[in-house]
Amino acid sequence: MPPCSTKCGKNAILKRPKTGDVLCKECFFEAFENEIHFTITRAKLFKPNSKVAIAASGGKDSTVLAYVLKLLNQKYDYKLDLTLLSIDEGITGYRDDSLETVKQNRDDYEMPLKIMSYKDLYGWTMDEIVAEIGRKNNCTFCGVFRRQALDRGAVLLKVDYLATGHNADDIAETVLMNILRGDLARLSRCSAIITDSGDGIPRVKPLKYTYEKEIVMYAYFRKLVYFSTECVFAPNAYRGHARVLLKDLEKIDPSVIMNIIQSGESLKINESANMPTLRKCNRCGFEQRIAQARDWQVK
Ligand code: SF4
């Protein structure tokens, strides 16, 4: 490998997928962490002395998020009180195993952990839902349930922010997916770095500009413990089609990820477009978009 491009005197061991820079391990760590710190400070994601729940799945994104937030919190004295919040969807062979990794994160990073389960909240596990409806639209159900479970967990923990591990690839995929579906409501807000959960607790995305490949590299070189098995119901996710398209485009030009995010940020939705409205559920009181009813139909 050639010398590190920062001229630190060491040999490079990797080429950054995002910038093409060839770097040694230490300079990569510094560049990676500095970019996240820059994202946090530029967008003013957190106020000092706040309590932050990190949505933790045991996967690479939330594991890296927890590690880096703890590190930056100490290095730059953000004065944040960090805690882990996990959702147990009740998916045998997936979530039961990944929760063990979250417990490892809890011990490694010395953060409290709260687990909310679909079974306790809704009376159903995802395994039971799939047994009832079959292998169709599973992520539509699961996504709505998880979103609400995280909101409920955040309220229960009395946090000021909910930080999620959405990375740059996730955001670009979501922009593409919403264009393909013509989902104007989601398209108008999916690239925002801070979103309103509806109960006054902002959701923030510190990894919004961090490439997935670099998250994998960072976790590898930092020797972080994370769970990498895919959900057994994931192959049916519509998102998978957007992911394949994005990966193909990334092979041609890695900057396509940032370009899509920037396009999403610059989009303005015509105000006369037919947008869904929020309506409260009669039973649980949580708000749900009327247009989502379309997604709930089992085809
Ligand atoms: Fe739920 Fe779909 Fe994610 Fe599996 S892949 S955990 S079903 S949203």
Side-chain angles (χ1 to χ4, degrees):
M1 267 291 207
C4 176
S5 55
T6 65
K7 301 190 172 55
C8 70
K10 296 196 189 108
N11 277 340
I13 57 161
L14 58 88
K15 183 175 177 185
R16 282 192 70 182
K18 185 174 181 179
T19 60
D21 293 339
V22 287
L23 297 175
C24 68
K25 198 161 68 175
E26 288 71 23
C27 289
F28 171 62
F29 290 158
E30 200 177 337
F32 183 93
E33 291 155 9
N34 281 349
E35 279 182 16
I36 297 171
H37 173 60
F38 181 70
T39 301
I40 290 170
T41 50
R42 190 182 59 168
K44 298 188 176 63
L45 288 194
F46 307 113
K47 288 195 181 117
N49 302 306
S50 299
K51 187 170 181 185
V52 180
I54 300 167
S57 67
K60 62 184 185 326
D61 302 312
S62 59
T63 298
V64 167
L65 178 62
Y67 180 88
V68 173
L69 272 188
K70 181 182 168 77
L71 184 144
L72 295 177
N73 193 30
Q74 288 169 343
K75 187 172 174 184
Y76 294 105
D77 199 19
Y78 291 164
K79 296 188 172 57
L80 300 178
D81 177 7
L82 301 172
T83 189
L84 300 170
L85 172 60
S86 277
I87 307 303
D88 180 2
E89 297 93 345
I91 302 174
T92 309
Y94 168 63
R95 187 55 79 213
D96 42 358
D97 292 342
S98 64
L99 282 175
E100 291 309 309
T101 312
V102 177
K103 288 174 190 164
Q104 179 77 43
N105 291 165
R106 172 197 62 195
D107 298 342
D108 290 348
Y109 308 148
E110 297 170 323
M111 291 178 196
L113 165 66
K114 174 73 187 162
I115 300 175
M116 309 283 286
S117 81
Y118 283 9
K119 188 70 179 176
D120 290 345
L121 288 168
Y122 314 119
W124 292 74
T125 64
M126 267 312 287
D127 285 344
E128 289 165 348
I129 291 170
V130 174
E132 189 74 19
I133 67 167
R135 296 286 294 268
K136 275 185 180 174
N137 299 339
N138 301 145
C139 295
T140 305
F141 283 81
C142 190
V144 173
F145 285 155
R146 182 174 333 92
R147 187 172 179 80
Q148 193 189 107
L150 281 171
D151 289 344
R152 286 176 184 262
V155 170
L156 197 75
L157 291 169
K158 296 189 172 67
V159 296
D160 302 295
Y161 300 95
L162 176 63
T164 62
H166 292 101
N167 61 43
D169 300 50
D170 295 329
I171 312 278
E173 273 166 32
T174 308
V175 172
L176 277 179
M177 196 168 69
N178 290 331
I179 289 171
L180 297 175
R181 284 177 152 171
D183 191 333
L184 299 183
R186 287 195 174 100
L187 186 56
S188 66
R189 61 170 190 266
C190 69
S191 52
I193 194 162
I194 303 174
T195 50
D196 182 7
S197 63
D199 51 24
I201 299 173
R203 285 173 175 246
V204 299
K205 303 177 188 118
L207 304 183
K208 179 183 171 185
Y209 299 109
T210 309
Y211 276 31
E212 185 175 63
K213 282 182 181 163
E214 298 204 352
I215 289 173
V216 174
M217 278 181 169
Y218 185 84
Y220 173 78
F221 287 115
R222 281 279 189 208
K223 298 188 171 56
L224 304 184
V225 178
Y226 68 90
F227 184 79
S228 53
T229 304
E230 266 223 325
C231 170
V232 289
F233 305 132
N236 287 337
Y238 185 85
R239 173 176 289 277
H241 302 299
R243 182 167 302 161
V244 170
L245 175 59
L246 186 69
K247 292 289 172 222
D248 285 347
L249 293 170
E250 189 191 1
K251 279 181 213 150
I252 302 164
D253 177 6
S255 65
V256 75
I257 295 173
M258 288 301 289
N259 293 344
I260 293 172
I261 293 175
Q262 279 160 7
S263 300
E265 288 171 338
S266 310
L267 275 176
K268 272 208 163 63
I269 306 295
N270 185 342
E271 283 176 12
S272 63
N274 187 17
M275 300 287 272
T277 50
L278 285 169
R279 200 165 62 180
K280 272 199 172 154
C281 171
N282 293 335
R283 292 175 64 178
C284 72
F286 259 73
E287 286 185 322
Q288 191 64 34
R289 290 188 308 126
I290 292 170
Q292 279 179 346
R294 179 195 63 191
D295 300 335
W296 282 68
Q297 290 166 7
V298 181
K299 296 179 186 117

